[in-house]
Amino acid sequence: MSKVKAAVFASGTGSNFETIMKCDDLACEVVLLICDKPGARVIEKASRCNVQTFVLNPKSFDSKEAYEQEILRMLQAAEIEWIFLAGYMRIVGKTLLEAYEGKIVNIHPSLLPAFPGKDAIGQAYRAGAAVTGVTVHFIDEGVDTGPIIAQEQIDVLPDDTEETLKARIQKVEHVLYPAVINQLLSTTD
Ligand code: GRF
């Protein structure tokens, strides 16, 4: 039986994209990468995995709606059922939220609702938090505010630097995200 098709949206390095792609027993097939940052490192990673990639510069569209309509056309042409955000540095708008209601998932490097938005690891570190973590959640129109699916807590150690903390957080992300994707797909139509 063929697997449901998914797209990953990413803007940066793509370490989460890479671990999703390397997961042997992923319950979906990632067939599309949408990237909003020409030159982002995730693009080479997708090319190595032979994943069809569209790089769109939002600034070359008249509006967010026009930008997302173009993405929607690509998603529909590829028969995408699920969207996994992995370092996509943009708020998803109404066009995609309505078309993929309950089917867009994000990973965020903090224990939401703490430290939403950009540089969540730096925010937690600078705030002197004793614990932080990773959250996988559905998205809504807010910034990292949608319903939480799974979280994993990570202690901030006394001798942590921001870099050592980030490395531990990413290690957890790389296990948690594929596991949550599989769990979601096994329990959702
Ligand atoms: C991850 O920490 C993810 O939680 C956040 O953006 C980062 C993306 O990292 N949303 P990468 O591009 O997957 O390496």
Side-chain angles (χ1 to χ4, degrees):
M1 211 175 72
S2 65
K3 292 180 177 177
V4 296
K5 291 179 180 160
V8 170
F9 286 26
S11 311
T13 311
S15 67
N16 281 283
F17 169 79
E18 198 169 30
T19 46
I20 290 169
M21 294 309 300
K22 283 186 179 157
C23 175
D24 286 335
D25 61 350
L26 199 71
C28 59
E29 191 187 356
V30 175
V31 295
L32 200 61
L33 172 73
I34 300 288
C35 178
D36 63 328
K37 285 267 160 55
R41 283 169 60 195
V42 68
I43 299 167
E44 328 154 6
K45 292 188 167 112
S47 147
R48 282 202 294 274
C49 306
N50 291 317
V51 170
Q52 186 179 26
T53 300
F54 290 108
V55 183
L56 298 95
N57 185 348
K59 289 192 186 124
S60 58
F61 292 83
D62 288 341
S63 63
K64 182 169 185 142
E65 194 188 340
Y67 165 71
E68 290 200 339
Q69 283 293 352
E70 180 68 10
I71 293 177
L72 186 56
R73 273 192 286 280
M74 293 163 174
L75 297 172
Q76 287 171 341
E79 300 180 327
I80 298 299
E81 289 186 41
W82 284 86
I83 298 171
F84 300 113
L85 308 184
Y88 182 64
M89 302 302 287
R90 211 156 269 287
I91 309 292
V92 175
K94 222 167 139 217
T95 306
L96 292 174
L97 281 172
E98 284 179 3
Y100 282 89
E101 200 188 342
K103 296 283 176 87
I104 312 182
V105 176
N106 182 40
I107 186 160
H108 182 79
S110 78
L111 284 182
L112 290 172
F115 310 117
K118 286 185 186 161
D119 189 23
I121 300 171
Q123 288 186 56
Y125 187 76
R126 288 190 296 275
V131 291
T132 184
V134 175
T135 302
V136 180
H137 64 103
F138 291 109
I139 63 153
D140 60 14
E141 61 290 339
V143 178
D144 303 319
T145 48
I148 290 171
I149 305 164
Q151 289 189 302
E152 193 163 324
Q153 189 172 305
I154 295 161
D155 290 335
V156 182
L157 305 176
D159 60 350
D160 258 335
T161 62
E162 209 177 305
E163 287 66 38
T164 57
L165 178 61
K166 181 179 174 188
R168 284 209 314 291
I169 286 180
Q170 287 195 325
K171 216 169 160 186
V172 169
E173 288 191 329
H174 297 163
V175 177
L176 188 66
Y177 209 7
V180 172
I181 290 172
N182 280 353
Q183 181 212 330
L184 262 178
L185 268 60
S186 69
T187 53
T188 321
D189 288 338

